[in-house]
Amino acid sequence: MRALPSDLPDGPVLVPCCGTFPELAALTARLPGREIVGVDLSAGMAARARKRAAGNSLVRVVEGDASELEPASAAAIVSVFGLQQLPEPDTALGSWAAALRPGGLLSVVYWPHSTEPGGPFTVLSDVLRERVPAGDRSWEERLVPALKDAVLERDEPLSFPMVHPDADTFFTAHTRSGPMRPLASMRGEGFIAALREEFLRRAPEGEWRHRPFARHIVARAAERA
Ligand SMILES: C[S@@+](CC[C@H](N)C(=O)[O-])C[C@H]1O[C@@H](n2cnc3c(N)ncnc32)[C@H](O)[C@@H]1O
């Protein structure tokens, strides 16, 4: 959020993959008077985001696919932990960069393939890999090239502490309401029970603290010549 300056061009700030819109408070505080538009594919998430935005006439939430945004439509684009969920993240990032107006700013944080040694994300991924082949992560190398004419200002790891009451709570959240929910629905309860058992066997007892690394990419669209 510290990357959002006041010298943005006219236009809205778009927030692809806004989920329940936790980014909103920081954006409205830093950019008073600015139109802010959240986009999320999930009707449930969009409904929660609208609830959070209620009463602020400058904020809208659109239910839809954020993989492709309208070219030259935004003053800034801020996206947190959504990019890695898109089918073609590098193509989406290219579209987001192209959606900036001249001088506009893109700030994207996502979960890369490797986030930490030994934490719950890694342990879960190791257990999963023994049963489900890894997806293609080659798109991560294509992210910076996808920015095309936008100038890369920052490409850095970001890390904050996370605390889970215990491994079982982490596993339940991850598989019921987190990124592994689609897999859980597809594979069924027996698969998830076996996965849980192996995950818990490898996990530490009690509270689990970790500091996973996300990747933060910031780019600025060139000013008009
Ligand atoms: C991990 S959540 C992050 C939400 C929020 N930005 C946050 O930091 O809490 C990722 C969100 O991306 C949304 N999402 C996934 N694919 C999407 C797509 N193609 N278009 C728009 N949103 C999408 C999901 O519905 C989910 O709400």
Side-chain angles (χ1 to χ4, degrees):
M1 228 34 105
R2 72 195 143 109
L4 270 185
S6 51
D7 63 335
L8 292 173
D10 286 343
V13 174
L14 305 186
V15 187
C17 308
C18 65
T20 65
F21 225 159
E23 303 89 350
L24 188 59
L27 289 171
T28 48
R30 302 236 173 171
L31 298 167
R34 181 72 65 162
E35 184 188 357
I36 299 174
V37 184
V39 186
D40 203 282
L41 193 58
S42 151
M45 288 291 185
R48 282 169 184 253
R50 283 191 191 111
K51 223 181 233 176
R52 196 191 288 265
N56 188 335
S57 59
L58 288 170
V59 182
R60 280 190 298 126
V61 178
V62 176
E63 183 192 322
D65 186 359
S67 302
E68 202 177 335
L69 299 176
E70 192 188 328
S73 61
I77 293 172
V78 176
S79 188
V80 183
F81 298 137
L83 187 72
Q84 77 285 339
Q85 291 195 2
L86 303 180
E88 292 179 38
D90 52 324
T91 307
L93 192 75
S95 164
W96 296 357
L100 294 172
R101 293 187 174 163
L105 199 65
L106 173 74
S107 173
V108 176
V109 177
Y110 79 93
W111 289 120
H113 171 56
S114 176
T115 56
E116 57 182 349
F121 293 151
T122 307
V123 174
L124 186 51
S125 156
D126 288 349
V127 173
L128 193 62
R129 281 302 72 83
E130 291 163 10
R131 293 157 172 84
V132 179
D136 176 16
R137 296 291 297 209
S138 62
W139 56 265
E140 290 200 58
E141 287 151 34
R142 297 192 294 273
L143 290 178
V144 170
L147 295 170
K148 300 223 171 81
D149 293 340
V151 178
L152 183 68
E153 293 196 347
R154 212 176 282 173
D155 183 0
E156 63 188 4
L158 273 189
S159 171
F160 291 94
M162 292 175 97
V163 186
H164 311 282
D166 52 54
D168 195 55
T169 306
F170 169 85
F171 186 90
T172 300
H174 220 70
T175 50
R176 266 201 206 143
S177 46
M180 273 174 57
R181 185 179 165 131
L183 182 74
S185 308
M186 236 162 37
R187 295 293 189 108
E189 280 176 23
F191 175 83
I192 291 299
L195 204 64
R196 183 191 296 271
E197 193 181 327
E198 183 56 21
F199 177 72
L200 295 183
R201 204 181 61 75
R202 298 187 196 184
E205 293 281 324
E207 191 178 81
W208 203 348
R209 290 172 177 269
H210 63 133
R211 257 196 106 97
F213 282 92
R215 182 178 177 189
H216 186 202
I217 293 173
V218 177
R220 173 85 76 164
E223 297 282 352
R224 233 189 291 272

